[in-house]
Amino acid sequence: MFRSISKLLFLISLGAACATSVWSKTITIGILDTIDPWFYVQTFGPTMEHLRKVIPQYEIKSVELSFENLQKAIKAGELDFFIAPSGFFAYVAESAGARHIATRHPQGAKDPSKSVGSVFVVRANDSRFNTLSDLVRVSVAATDSNSFDGWIIALGELLLQNLDPKRLFSVITYTGYGIPDVASMVLNKQVDVGILKTCDLEQFEREGTIAKGALRVLNPKNDSLISCKVSTDLYPDVVFASLPKADSNLVKTVSVGLLTMDRTRGGDSWGFASDFTPVSSLYRSLEIGPYEYLKETGFIGFAKRYRHYLYGFAALLILILLYTASVRRIVSIRTRDLTIALKEKDKAEKEARESRENLFQLEKAGVVSELSAMFAHEAHQPIASLINYADGLKLYLKGKREDPLVQEALSEISTQADRLSKIIQRVRTYAKRQHHEVKQENLSEIVDRALVSFRRSSLSSGIDVEVKAPGKADALADALELELLIVNLLKNAAAASKDSREKLISVQLSEEANEWLLSVSDHGQVISDKLLSRLSHPAKRFSDGLGLGLSICRLIAENHGGKLTFKPNNSKGLIVTLHLPKANKEI
């Protein structure tokens, strides 16, 4: 009977809405069919009428659905909003993305978060039952197995008292909202105990449906938050919720409309429940709804039961693996870079050692050669004079009184002087390097090696070197001696440029007829004619750094069949040019 009345109200409200205007959009509201029929009369009807005033541009369409069909409609995205008990909301909120807008606030409740519960009732004269623990192997009547306040809350209370519903109830009858209802079945002794929603007992007694005091409440709780008798804890009442399909502005308008709506004639209104944790805890303790998996055993049940921990562990494991891989990659890159850097460092140190050794050997050989030449040149004349004086004394004493001792001394002097002359002549031959070994070399490569050696010296600091050389410039040469020559020319040019503003040395290798011309120019001090003439005396020391090193260079050039020439570099500086035969010209 109540269900027919509610459907009639649907038609009346829909007809009234259609008579107003033509709507631009339609919103669909699903409503769970297990809600108390009085809700349709006292709350749902006035709510729809109020919303049509708040959003007149929308057509509001309501659809009454069973528990399973409401889930399917939500999953399919067919609804914008739904109205259902808080238990159903908690059931689908996480999976469907539902958002709580408002909670029904009955007149007898002080807090929307604690406004509904269940009541265990027995016949008043039935002395068998005084507490819930007396309900052993009894028959029970309830509205619906999915009814939050008419069944599920009651089961939760039994569990709180460590009572197993499976052992307490021998027969369970679900009446729906038909006739006979739960209260009638208890009074007619069709069942031993009935489960009602809070305030239903008081409603029946006010209407005269049952005599006042005919039914007695088991496990009554003295709860000041509600004016009706209750046997359980209190939970949020019916929820008005939005779904992802609904536009955000529409959700905002509907929310404001519901929360500002006046109380209905029955005293109900819409409030806001801030805490649905007790509902989730209730479902978890009963292992139903979103916690159905807790009943499963084995690996699947374990995985579902501890899925949040497993998700966290998996995420942590992935982060650890990613971090480990990242660290290994960074270490690998750094190790590779360090290895390359160490190899380059070792290579540079090796080249530096070899360069220093080469320069040391070259300079050592050059100094010895130059000193030998100087000694041979200076010592040759005195020794020749000594021999001449000895021979002159012999001639002078010949025919006169001969003294054997004097003759012997003069002979010994001549012999030893001649021997010394031969030794000096050998030194001069070595100094002239008449038998030096040469082979075909690329002068461009020798220039490059000389530049490397020069740049490693302290004189190269702040000096720029400009090089112009062909890729191939073959000549018969001793590569080490020529490298020494070029390094010495560069050092002399760097010393000359020390106090110059333009610290630039130019090296140019060109060809002319049958010889190569290697020029080293600087921008040092002004070169006078007198200074140019003095450059022909390499043993003499000059303040600009020319001297013994230049003489070594001259000697090396001459030993290779070439020569050194000097000329001023425009108005300032010096150009030193090495003339060297090409490879096809014999030295």
Side-chain angles (χ1 to χ4, degrees):
M1 180 178 69
F2 289 120
R3 182 65 59 194
S4 299
I5 293 173
S6 65
K7 290 183 178 180
L8 179 61
L9 287 173
F10 283 165
L11 294 175
I12 293 173
S13 62
L14 181 60
C18 292
T20 58
S21 62
V22 177
W23 304 281
S24 58
K25 296 180 181 179
T26 301
I27 61 174
T28 305
I29 303 175
I31 181 168
L32 189 63
D33 64 0
T34 59
I35 299 179
D36 182 357
W38 286 109
F39 172 80
Y40 291 89
V41 177
Q42 296 176 347
T43 306
F44 180 74
T47 298
M48 293 299 101
E49 182 180 356
H50 177 71
L51 289 179
R52 288 188 177 98
K53 293 178 181 179
V54 173
I55 47 175
Q57 69 274 27
Y58 286 90
E59 177 188 3
I60 301 178
K61 179 182 177 182
S62 59
V63 183
E64 187 181 22
L65 298 168
S66 65
F67 191 91
E68 292 78 11
N69 289 336
L70 182 56
Q71 290 185 75
K72 292 178 181 178
I74 291 173
K75 187 175 182 181
E78 299 173 357
L79 305 176
D80 299 285
F81 304 90
F82 70 84
I83 299 173
S86 58
F88 181 88
F89 171 76
Y91 184 90
V92 301
E94 182 177 353
S95 60
R99 294 294 178 266
H100 167 252
I101 291 180
T103 307
R104 182 193 181 199
H105 189 182
Q107 184 178 21
K110 294 182 179 180
D111 183 0
S113 298
K114 298 181 181 299
S115 58
V116 69
S118 297
V119 179
F120 291 89
V121 295
V122 295
R123 293 182 296 278
N125 57 2
D126 193 342
S127 59
R128 295 176 299 166
F129 311 114
N130 295 301
T131 64
L132 295 182
S133 59
D134 295 330
L135 303 179
V136 179
R137 307 306 298 171
V138 298
S139 57
V140 63
T143 305
D144 190 280
S145 60
N146 292 319
S147 175
F148 181 63
D149 47 15
W151 178 247
I152 294 174
I153 294 177
L155 295 182
E157 183 64 26
L158 293 175
L159 287 179
L160 286 176
Q161 298 195 26
N162 298 318
L163 300 174
D164 184 2
K166 295 178 182 179
R167 298 179 58 186
L168 296 180
F169 305 139
S170 58
V171 178
I172 301 175
T173 303
Y174 299 110
T175 65
Y177 291 98
I179 301 297
D181 58 7
V182 173
S184 299
M185 293 189 71
V186 175
L187 290 173
N188 295 333
K189 298 184 180 181
Q190 292 176 279
V191 294
D192 298 313
V193 61
I195 298 175
L196 300 174
K197 181 174 73 72
T198 48
C199 296
D200 276 359
L201 179 59
E202 287 79 3
Q203 178 79 13
F204 294 151
E205 290 179 345
R206 283 196 303 268
E207 294 174 351
T209 305
I210 62 174
K212 190 173 184 179
L215 294 178
R216 177 165 51 90
V217 176
L218 291 182
N219 194 47
K221 292 193 175 184
N222 184 18
D223 201 319
S224 60
L225 293 177
I226 192 167
S227 59
C228 303
K229 295 178 181 179
V230 63
S231 302
T232 65
D233 291 338
L234 296 175
Y235 298 87
D237 202 350
V238 174
V239 171
F240 198 117
S242 66
L243 291 166
K245 180 184 176 183
D247 179 75
S248 58
N249 290 326
L250 173 63
V251 173
K252 178 181 178 181
T253 303
V254 171
S255 300
V256 173
L258 291 175
L259 295 175
T260 57
M261 175 180 164
D262 294 333
R263 286 190 177 272
T264 65
R265 291 181 180 179
D268 296 339
S269 64
W270 290 97
F272 193 86
S274 59
D275 186 12
F276 286 87
T277 304
V279 180
S280 298
S281 300
L282 174 62
Y283 273 75
R284 185 179 185 89
S285 64
L286 294 173
E287 297 180 354
I288 60 175
Y291 301 99
E292 192 90 31
Y293 65 87
L294 295 175
K295 296 178 181 179
E296 299 180 15
T297 58
F299 177 77
I300 295 177
F302 175 82
K304 289 182 178 180
R305 187 175 293 109
Y306 298 102
R307 66 185 184 280
H308 297 295
Y309 297 101
L310 294 176
Y311 293 157
F313 177 76
L316 180 61
L317 182 60
I318 291 173
L319 289 175
I320 292 174
L321 293 176
L322 290 175
Y323 175 77
T324 303
S326 176
V327 170
R328 287 184 177 178
R329 184 173 181 274
I330 293 173
V331 170
S332 176
I333 293 173
R334 296 290 173 82
T335 302
R336 182 187 63 196
D337 293 343
L338 182 59
T339 302
I340 293 173
L342 289 175
K343 287 182 178 178
E344 291 178 351
K345 178 176 177 293
D346 293 341
K347 181 180 178 182
E349 290 179 349
K350 182 179 179 182
E351 291 177 352
R353 286 195 302 270
E354 291 177 352
S355 178
R356 289 194 297 269
E357 182 66 24
N358 289 338
L359 286 175
F360 174 75
Q361 294 299 334
L362 285 173
E363 291 181 353
K364 179 180 178 182
V367 170
V368 171
S369 177
E370 182 66 18
L371 289 175
S372 298
M374 290 175 60
F375 175 78
H377 176 74
E378 298 296 333
H380 179 70
Q381 187 174 355
I383 292 173
S385 297
L386 181 62
I387 294 173
N388 289 335
Y389 278 117
D391 290 341
L393 282 174
K394 286 182 181 180
L395 291 174
Y396 176 76
L397 295 174
K398 190 176 181 180
K400 295 182 179 183
R401 182 182 176 182
E402 296 183 359
D403 187 340
L405 184 60
V406 173
Q407 290 293 332
E408 183 180 355
L410 289 175
S411 296
E412 186 64 26
I413 290 173
S414 296
T415 301
Q416 293 300 325
D418 185 62
R419 182 182 177 188
L420 181 59
S421 178
K422 290 180 180 179
I423 292 173
I424 291 174
Q425 188 63 33
R426 289 177 61 188
V427 171
R428 292 187 66 188
T429 301
Y430 170 74
K432 291 180 179 179
R433 298 180 64 90
Q434 294 176 348
H435 302 288
H436 63 285
E437 296 182 358
V438 297
K439 62 180 179 178
Q440 184 168 310
E441 299 283 353
N442 185 352
L443 295 180
S444 296
E445 295 179 354
I446 296 175
V447 170
D448 292 339
R449 291 197 294 271
L451 287 173
V452 172
S453 300
F454 170 71
R455 288 192 177 102
R456 289 172 179 159
S457 68
S458 60
L459 286 173
S460 66
S461 177
I463 302 295
D464 294 327
V465 181
E466 181 183 77
V467 180
K468 295 181 180 179
K472 193 74 171 175
D474 291 335
L476 294 175
D478 185 324
L480 293 178
E481 288 193 355
L482 284 186
E483 182 180 344
L484 174 63
L485 184 153
I486 298 170
V487 170
N488 272 278
L489 293 181
L490 290 170
K491 285 183 176 180
N492 288 336
S497 303
K498 179 175 63 175
D499 299 325
S500 176
R501 291 184 179 180
E502 189 173 0
K503 299 181 183 299
L504 175 64
I505 299 175
S506 298
V507 180
Q508 183 171 353
L509 179 60
S510 60
E511 60 179 326
E512 182 178 296
N514 293 322
E515 64 180 6
W516 293 106
L517 303 180
L518 176 63
S519 299
V520 178
S521 60
D522 61 69
H523 298 271
Q525 65 180 0
V526 177
I527 303 298
S528 63
D529 294 338
K530 183 179 179 180
L531 183 59
L532 280 175
S533 65
R534 293 175 64 189
L535 289 175
S536 60
H537 302 285
K540 190 170 183 179
R541 187 73 179 177
F542 294 86
S543 60
D544 60 359
L546 302 175
L548 187 60
L550 185 57
S551 67
I552 294 174
C553 296
R554 187 189 303 276
L555 180 62
I556 292 174
E558 291 174 351
N559 286 341
H560 282 78
K563 63 180 180 178
L564 289 177
T565 60
F566 308 87
K567 67 177 181 178
N569 185 9
N570 295 326
S571 61
K572 196 174 184 181
L574 180 68
I575 299 177
V576 182
T577 303
L578 169 65
H579 299 256
L580 201 64
K582 291 186 176 179
N584 57 359
K585 183 177 179 181
E586 295 184 0
I587 298 176

